[in-house]
Amino acid sequence: MIWRMVRARVDGLGVRIAVLLSIALFPIGLIAVSLTHQFAKAADERAQSNLLALTAQAAAGEEALIRTGFGTAEALAAVMPFVVADEDACDGVFSQFIESNPSFSFAGYISADGILACGSANAGQDFKNRTIYKNMIEAPELRSDLVLDGQVSHRQVIVLSAPVFENGVFDGYISVSLPHEDTRINLENAPVDRPVELITFNAEGEVLSASGGLEDVEARLPEGRPLAHLTGEYRSSFSGVTNDGEERVFAVVPILKDQVYAIGSWPRERLSVAPGFAIATPMIFPIAMWITSLGVAYFAVHRLAIKHIRHLSRDMRTFASIRRHNPRRKDPGLPRELREIEGAWHDLAETVIRDEAELEDTIHDKSVLLKEVHHRVKNNLQLIASIVNMKVRKAKTPEARFALKEVQGRVMSIATVHRSLYETTTEGRVRADQLLRSTVGKLVDAGVGNEIKLENTQSYEPITLYPDQAVPLSLLATEATTNALKYVGRPDEGLPCVEVSLTRLEPEIARLSISNSKGAPLLPPEQISGTGLGTSLIQAFAQQLGGKLKVEDEEDRYSVVIDFPIASFDEASDGGFTEVEGD
């Protein structure tokens, strides 16, 4: 009986916390006497920490400009191979950027031969003698350089450069100029009594800008610590002496990792403690802490925590009473209150599990319904194709029949894709060889009459694709095959032929090739007059595939070849392809 009464009093969470806090706070009384001697060191560390924050705050404006410049340079480098052929469009891209960002003075594309191919101004200038060009030729990578006399702007600028690659080969670089006077550090938000002097530099340790100007910047740098040795760190602070002998606290903050850094300095300060208070503090602090902790443990935990935990436990048990009860874990080491919460949690967990099972059933039903919807869509597409086929038979002119056959081919290709996507046993994956064999085979059968003898060769390697790739690949093959059937010619020797092949060049690269023989046209002239729609669709589908389109027009053969990447199948991947607007 006595043991039960004692256990009832010491079993509570409040008593346990009070005991543990008393034990945990005891060492504080032993170490408190040494706190006074550590205040000076703590003041230095606090000053260094404050300087890191002040440095980051002061560099925020320039960081935004440099990030904008590098981001623009990298974006322009990615699209440059597609626009460089059109000089007006290329110049327009850079001019529009300068107009939208007045903080920058120049942007342009310097080709691999050192000539300014296009830019916001002075296209055609020679940059072969510039240091940035020479460094880019040796090691094409992101760069930031200070140029005292810009070749285009004729002013002191920070040049942000990004290399341009064409098929993995260096093809020049994008250069964006940021005038130095526009990137002076803005220290308006810095405390007046704690002035921060800021200097920015690149990964090679070259100074880019300074809040006090560049005239005596070397004298303000830390002695014995080259800037190049301060790169590569996330954030760091240290005390030291400048080259002109002044003691300061320094902080290094990366503006753009591995590219641009900022170093801020602050006159060294030491915080002092009042003499009379320094001796009393080590004695008062642990006693006050212990008494306060006991009061908090008894009143706060009991009055503010345990009462509400018990009430919540009763509510959870009431909520779970209409469901199946799970056995509670019997652990005498747990406080009574936590045992109650754990019991209620087990009840609630069982309920959540049951609700999740019901939710999974609902999702399954919706998935089945979605597949049925897609199945009906496929049937409707096939019905449309049949109706168009009836119209083909009743058409009175060759032009009408040919136009209706093109419509029928496109509708059938979409229906075939639907069947492959939603009737396969492996959801989310499509066999491209089976898809093309069905699509192209039906297209050839419908596009060539019995009176024409045509040699049709199809070769497909087994390749599995995401639906995001299978759809544009099927439509591209349909359009290219339609064009091949339209323009196929009878050669001097042998039968006219159309060849379609799908091969795997590398583990992650596939090639689709569609070719037709050239010679005397098989179709009447009125049926082979082109509108350019098919070619536009082929280009759009190739872009959606992320592939490279190549047209080979030889003396006796015309071929369309597309090399495209095969997306790898993993749980984190969504195919990596997006729809192209206007397709």
Side-chain angles (χ1 to χ4, degrees):
M1 180 66 69
I2 298 176
W3 168 249
R4 291 182 180 179
M5 295 178 58
V6 172
R7 180 178 175 81
R9 291 186 175 276
V10 302
D11 197 32
L13 184 61
V15 176
R16 294 193 178 194
I17 290 179
V19 174
L20 291 176
L21 282 177
S22 299
I23 297 174
L25 292 174
F26 178 75
I28 296 179
L30 302 178
I31 65 175
V33 292
S34 65
L35 293 178
T36 302
H37 304 289
Q38 299 178 10
F39 281 173
K41 181 179 179 181
D44 282 347
E45 293 177 353
R46 185 167 59 252
Q48 293 177 6
S49 300
N50 291 340
L51 181 57
L52 284 171
L54 292 174
T55 302
Q57 177 184 357
E62 188 162 358
E63 177 182 358
L65 289 175
I66 291 176
R67 286 187 178 274
T68 299
F70 269 121
T72 301
E74 291 183 285
L76 292 175
V79 303
M80 190 51 53
F82 302 98
V83 301
V84 69
D86 189 343
E87 183 177 352
D88 293 336
C90 187
D91 289 338
V93 170
F94 293 103
S95 299
Q96 184 178 3
F97 168 72
I98 295 300
E99 292 176 1
S100 303
N101 299 270
S103 298
F104 297 88
S105 62
F106 168 76
Y109 167 56
I110 293 88
S111 61
D113 57 3
I115 303 301
L116 179 61
C118 54
S120 59
N122 296 351
Q125 283 199 12
D126 190 348
F127 283 76
K128 287 195 290 291
N129 295 327
R130 306 298 288 191
T131 303
I132 298 177
Y133 171 78
K134 296 177 181 178
N135 291 334
M136 272 293 183
I137 292 295
E138 294 179 359
E141 59 185 2
L142 290 176
R143 293 190 56 83
S144 57
D145 301 270
L146 175 64
V147 178
L148 300 179
D149 184 15
Q151 184 166 336
V152 177
S153 59
H154 301 293
R155 58 198 301 189
Q156 197 174 77
V157 293
I158 297 175
V159 179
L160 309 176
S161 307
V164 176
F165 294 95
E166 178 71 15
N167 296 328
V169 179
F170 176 70
D171 196 38
Y173 63 95
I174 301 296
S175 179
V176 178
S177 297
L178 189 61
H180 181 268
E181 58 269 25
D182 292 338
T183 58
R184 293 293 177 89
I185 316 307
N186 187 355
L187 301 177
E188 295 177 354
N189 298 325
V192 178
D193 58 336
R194 296 179 180 179
V196 178
E197 185 173 301
L198 200 65
I199 298 172
T200 64
F201 58 97
N202 60 18
E204 289 77 21
E206 300 172 353
V207 174
L208 299 178
S209 61
S211 58
L214 299 174
E215 291 76 14
D216 58 343
V217 66
E218 290 294 331
R220 291 173 279 163
L221 296 178
E223 183 181 17
R225 287 180 178 257
L227 295 180
H229 294 174
L230 301 178
T231 61
E233 301 180 5
Y234 175 63
R235 286 190 175 189
S236 62
S237 59
F238 57 93
S239 298
V241 180
T242 62
N243 288 327
D244 60 0
E246 181 182 1
E247 291 189 359
R248 299 182 75 88
V249 180
F250 297 89
V252 179
V253 176
I255 293 180
L256 192 61
K257 189 176 180 181
D258 298 330
Q259 291 295 329
V260 182
Y261 299 82
I263 179 171
S265 62
W266 186 12
R268 188 170 183 176
E269 298 178 359
R270 288 194 174 273
L271 305 179
S272 60
V273 180
F277 189 68
I279 299 176
T281 300
M283 302 299 296
I284 296 175
F285 178 73
I287 296 175
M289 191 74 170
W290 181 71
I291 295 176
T292 305
S293 298
L294 289 180
V296 170
Y298 184 79
F299 291 102
V301 174
H302 274 277
R303 302 294 181 182
L304 300 179
I306 295 178
K307 179 176 67 175
H308 299 290
I309 291 175
R310 287 174 177 172
H311 179 72
L312 178 61
S313 178
R314 288 193 298 269
D315 291 343
M316 294 173 66
R317 287 196 302 271
T318 301
F319 174 77
S321 60
I322 60 175
R323 296 172 174 86
R324 184 178 61 185
H325 291 275
N326 285 340
R328 302 178 184 178
R329 182 168 62 94
K330 297 180 179 180
D331 185 359
L334 285 175
R336 179 178 61 256
E337 296 80 15
L338 294 182
R339 288 199 300 269
E340 293 173 355
I341 294 176
E342 187 182 57
W345 164 245
H346 277 288
D347 294 338
L348 181 59
E350 178 64 22
T351 302
V352 172
I353 292 174
R354 188 162 53 248
D355 291 343
E356 287 180 349
E358 294 175 358
L359 181 60
E360 289 180 358
D361 292 339
T362 303
I363 293 175
H364 175 72
D365 294 340
K366 290 183 178 180
S367 299
V368 173
L369 179 61
L370 181 60
K371 287 187 177 181
E372 179 64 22
V373 170
H374 286 300
H375 181 70
R376 292 181 182 272
V377 170
K378 183 206 67 174
N379 290 341
N380 290 336
L381 289 172
Q382 291 180 337
L383 178 61
I384 294 172
S386 300
I387 295 174
V388 174
N389 189 39
M390 296 174 59
K391 293 294 184 181
V392 170
R393 296 173 182 173
K394 296 182 179 181
K396 298 180 179 180
T397 62
E399 295 84 354
R401 285 196 296 272
F402 190 80
L404 290 172
K405 285 183 178 180
E406 285 187 337
V407 174
Q408 183 187 27
R410 290 190 173 97
V411 173
M412 287 301 298
S413 66
I414 295 175
T416 302
V417 172
H418 267 277
R419 183 175 63 254
S420 298
L421 292 181
Y422 303 108
E423 292 185 0
T424 180
T425 57
T426 304
E427 298 183 357
R429 304 189 183 190
V430 181
R431 281 284 298 272
D433 54 323
Q434 298 175 358
L435 177 64
L436 292 181
R437 184 176 290 107
S438 176
T439 303
V440 175
K442 292 181 180 179
L443 182 62
V444 173
D445 294 340
V448 179
N450 295 329
E451 67 278 2
I452 299 177
K453 292 185 178 181
L454 179 68
E455 181 180 350
N456 176 234
T457 303
Q458 300 182 41
S459 174
Y460 307 105
E461 293 186 8
I463 296 176
T464 305
L465 300 177
Y466 276 107
D468 288 341
Q469 286 186 294
V471 173
L473 178 65
S474 174
L475 297 177
L476 189 152
T478 300
E479 292 300 331
T481 306
T482 300
N483 280 355
L485 294 172
K486 181 190 296 185
Y487 297 105
V488 64
R490 188 182 304 278
D492 296 336
E493 298 180 359
L495 296 175
C497 65
V498 172
E499 297 180 359
V500 182
S501 65
L502 177 67
T503 57
R504 186 189 296 268
L505 301 180
E506 299 177 11
E508 298 181 354
I509 299 294
R511 169 174 290 179
L512 174 65
S513 176
I514 302 174
S515 61
N516 61 274
S517 60
K518 296 174 63 176
L522 300 182
L523 299 178
E526 62 272 10
Q527 293 187 18
I528 61 175
S529 58
T531 62
L533 176 60
T535 301
S536 300
L537 289 174
I538 290 174
Q539 294 174 349
F541 292 140
Q543 181 181 358
Q544 190 172 358
L545 272 172
K548 298 178 181 179
L549 176 64
K550 180 172 63 175
V551 176
E552 300 175 353
D553 192 356
E554 302 175 357
E555 182 178 355
D556 59 346
R557 183 175 296 272
Y558 183 87
S559 303
V560 176
V561 181
I562 302 95
D563 295 341
F564 62 94
I566 302 174
S568 60
F569 288 91
D570 52 57
E571 296 180 355
S573 175
D574 61 356
F577 294 87
T578 57
E579 294 186 358
V580 179
E581 297 184 0
D583 288 6

